[in-house]
Amino acid sequence: MLDYFRRHLGAKLLLSYLAIIVVGVAVLIVASQFILPSSFDRHMSDMGMMDGGMMDMSGTNSMSQLFIDFRASFNEALTYATVAAMLVAAALSLLFTRSVIAPVQAMSLATKRISEGHYDEHVQAQGEDELAGLAMRFNQMAEKLDQVESMRRRLIGDVSHELRTPLTAIKGSMEGLMDGILPANDETFQQIHAEADRLNRLVDDLQELSRVEAHAYQLDFRSLDVSSLVQIVAKRLAPQAESKRISLDFELAPDLPHILADEDRAIQILTNLTGNALQYTPEDGRITISAKRISDEVQFSVRDTGIGIPPEHLSRIFDRFYRVDKSRSRQAGGGSGIGLTIARALVEAHGGRIWAESTGEKQGSTFTFTLKKFV
Ligand SMILES: Nc1ncnc2c1ncn2[C@@H]1O[C@H](COP(=O)(O)OP(=O)(O)OP(=O)(O)O)[C@@H](O)[C@H]1O
Ligand SMILES: [Mg+2]
């Protein structure tokens, strides 16, 4: 019995209501025992005095009878009131059990289901009180868990798919060599080497992505000169641009302030976007890196005259492993669709934004990101 009360909020509440009623009734009984007789006498004698002192022996007797009757009716009323109060207490605690304990029980059940891996669990959130707020927050948490779980599942699927492609190619070439179908010459070895290299790059990119997304790196914020940053990137990518006869131009606003950023990471972002522009722009194209100040930020843009991006892909190209044309990327040197995801994570870690614009296929693309200016 005691255990039941200890484990049920409704029973505890009923008990507390009953305790209040018992205390109330006890106070009334004590009052009726000790205060009522003397107070009754006083009031009656006041009345007798008002009647002109007419009280005699028979008057005293009838008075005590009157008091006894009065006390009996008082006790009767008290008994009815106590019973009524108890009924009300029971009804209230039942009502409370429905409105408070039922949602708590639902949440407790949902928590158990979530801990068993059913992340699509939700509870009803009715009303506007604290419990409804708790239920709403609980649902948000469950939704977030659901997203994380499906992201984890998708990631494992994507990674295994990405790893399988070069592995299959290496395995195929090796089998060809063993069966004597493929000649054991430089070309075959280079092909296998290129696939192994691709695998290596993919693993490196994945490692970098997980580090960047988990914020497992320190940003060394410094005041940086925008023009020297752009020069470093241009110098690094010049050979690639030359080999495709792509001109690499700059449009740097004259009043550019310094930016507050981590130098290596800022270079990485810019190299990433310019590298993409080089990769997705055919020979004899043009790439323009520009920078201008917009309020307390510097806005960098990398514009190319390349293959462009169809509008329906624009919102997804920053997603992990997302490529507009998977087969084309592979043939064109094997992009894995991680570069822009890393770039976005880095820009956001600096407190900036990044987006892509393109009017469509063969119309060129522009990638823009912002970094805070140094104050
Ligand atoms: N300048 C660009 N012009 C046209 N398409 C682009 C451009 N930059 C990116 N894309 C598209 O966005 C996709 C994602 O780019 P991202 O840099 O993330 O991956 P990737 O270049 O394919 O591979 P990697 O991880 O090696 O960089 C590309 O596959 C390409 O389809
Ligand atoms: Mg890329």
Side-chain angles (χ1 to χ4, degrees), residues 173-232:
S173 302
M174 294 307 280
E175 279 168 4
L177 270 175
M178 286 189 299
D179 295 346
I181 300 167
L182 274 178
N185 58 16
D186 268 6
E187 196 190 334
T188 313
F189 295 140
Q190 254 162 26
Q191 216 175 326
I192 297 172
H193 186 265
E195 288 297 342
D197 204 37
R198 206 167 112 72
L199 205 57
N200 213 6
R201 252 188 301 135
L202 178 63
V203 173
D204 283 349
D205 282 354
L206 278 173
Q207 211 171 15
E208 170 76 356
L209 179 67
S210 83
R211 237 198 338 256
V212 167
E213 287 195 333
H215 297 282
Y217 59 94
Q218 284 278 317
L219 285 178
D220 181 15
F221 282 99
R222 279 163 203 260
S223 159
L224 303 174
D225 177 49
V226 174
S227 153
S228 5
L229 273 186
V230 174
Q231 297 295 339
I232 293 172

Side-chain angles (χ1 to χ4, degrees), residues 159-171:
V159 170
S160 19
H161 176 79
E162 293 297 325
L163 290 177
R164 191 175 298 124
T165 316
L167 276 177
T168 310
I170 293 173
K171 193 163 168 253

Side-chain angles (χ1 to χ4, degrees), residues 18-309:
L18 291 181
I20 292 169
I21 292 167
V22 167
V23 169
V25 170
V27 168
L28 276 176
I29 289 173
V30 169
S32 70
Q33 283 296 322
F34 296 102
I35 304 169
L36 207 60
S38 59
S39 150
F40 185 81
D41 276 354
R42 200 176 63 247
H43 281 285
M44 283 303 130
S45 61
D46 281 356
M47 260 171 67
M49 273 169 47
M50 270 186 343
D51 290 348
M54 296 286 290
M55 221 180 295
D56 56 6
M57 253 333 249
S58 69
T60 314
N61 274 343
S62 66
M63 190 90 82
S64 56
Q65 187 55 47
L66 186 66
F67 179 68
I68 289 164
D69 288 345
F70 169 70
R71 184 128 96 186
S73 51
F74 176 83
N75 286 347
E76 199 179 313
L78 189 61
T79 312
Y80 284 135
T82 308
V83 171
M86 284 184 169
L87 287 178
V88 170
L92 277 180
S93 63
L94 208 70
L95 207 74
F96 181 81
T97 310
R98 284 235 179 100
S99 64
V100 174
I101 298 172
V104 172
Q105 273 171 345
M107 258 182 271
S108 151
L109 208 71
T111 316
K112 184 167 170 283
R113 298 250 318 146
I114 286 177
S115 70
E116 286 164 358
H118 304 279
Y119 295 99
D120 52 349
E121 202 60 41
H122 273 79
V123 288
Q124 292 269 329
Q126 280 164 347
E128 292 170 19
D129 57 10
E130 289 88 344
L131 263 178
L134 180 64
M136 205 180 74
R137 244 149 256 136
F138 179 90
N139 286 342
Q140 284 171 349
M141 184 196 72
E143 224 162 88
K144 193 89 202 161
L145 277 175
D146 196 18
Q147 280 171 8
V148 170
E149 175 60 14
S150 55
M151 220 164 81
R152 188 183 68 85
R153 243 183 262 140
R154 214 172 41 230
L155 177 66
I156 293 176
D158 286 346
V159 170
S160 19
H161 176 79
E162 293 297 325
L163 290 177
R164 191 175 298 124
T165 316
L167 276 177
T168 310
I170 293 173
K171 193 163 168 253
S173 302
M174 294 307 280
E175 279 168 4
L177 270 175
M178 286 189 299
D179 295 346
I181 300 167
L182 274 178
N185 58 16
D186 268 6
E187 196 190 334
T188 313
F189 295 140
Q190 254 162 26
Q191 216 175 326
I192 297 172
H193 186 265
E195 288 297 342
D197 204 37
R198 206 167 112 72
L199 205 57
N200 213 6
R201 252 188 301 135
L202 178 63
V203 173
D204 283 349
D205 282 354
L206 278 173
Q207 211 171 15
E208 170 76 356
L209 179 67
S210 83
R211 237 198 338 256
V212 167
E213 287 195 333
H215 297 282
Y217 59 94
Q218 284 278 317
L219 285 178
D220 181 15
F221 282 99
R222 279 163 203 260
S223 159
L224 303 174
D225 177 49
V226 174
S227 153
S228 5
L229 273 186
V230 174
Q231 297 295 339
I232 293 172
V233 174
K235 207 162 158 196
R236 198 176 277 184
L237 295 174
Q240 216 177 318
E242 266 162 37
S243 72
K244 280 181 95 174
R245 292 192 305 277
I246 291 175
S247 74
L248 207 51
D249 304 333
F250 312 114
E251 277 172 13
L252 304 181
D255 60 337
L256 272 181
H258 277 206
I259 53 164
L260 182 67
D262 179 304
E263 185 170 18
D264 290 341
R265 297 311 191 173
I267 290 174
Q268 192 179 353
I269 300 165
L270 209 52
T271 307
N272 225 319
L273 298 184
T274 316
N276 271 353
L278 281 167
Q279 191 173 352
Y280 300 109
T281 300
E283 292 190 351
D284 299 316
R286 162 181 285 195
I287 294 170
T288 312
I289 302 178
S290 61
K292 61 182 174 197
R293 175 188 176 164
I294 291 189
S295 70
D296 62 344
E297 289 179 328
V298 173
Q299 189 170 302
F300 294 81
S301 288
V302 180
R303 196 168 71 234
D304 64 51
T305 55
I307 58 171
I309 303 164

Side-chain angles (χ1 to χ4, degrees), residues 201-202 205 272-281 302 304 306-310 313 316-319 321-326 328-329 333-342 358 364-367:
R201 252 188 301 135
L202 178 63
D205 282 354
N272 225 319
L273 298 184
T274 316
N276 271 353
L278 281 167
Q279 191 173 352
Y280 300 109
T281 300
V302 180
D304 64 51
I307 58 171
I309 303 164
H313 295 281
R316 302 201 52 198
I317 49 171
F318 292 95
D319 291 355
F321 299 118
Y322 195 82
R323 291 170 299 229
V324 172
D325 180 349
K326 301 204 175 204
R328 185 185 64 196
S329 308
S336 46
I338 298 178
L340 285 178
T341 318
I342 294 177
S358 172
S365 326
T366 305
F367 283 79

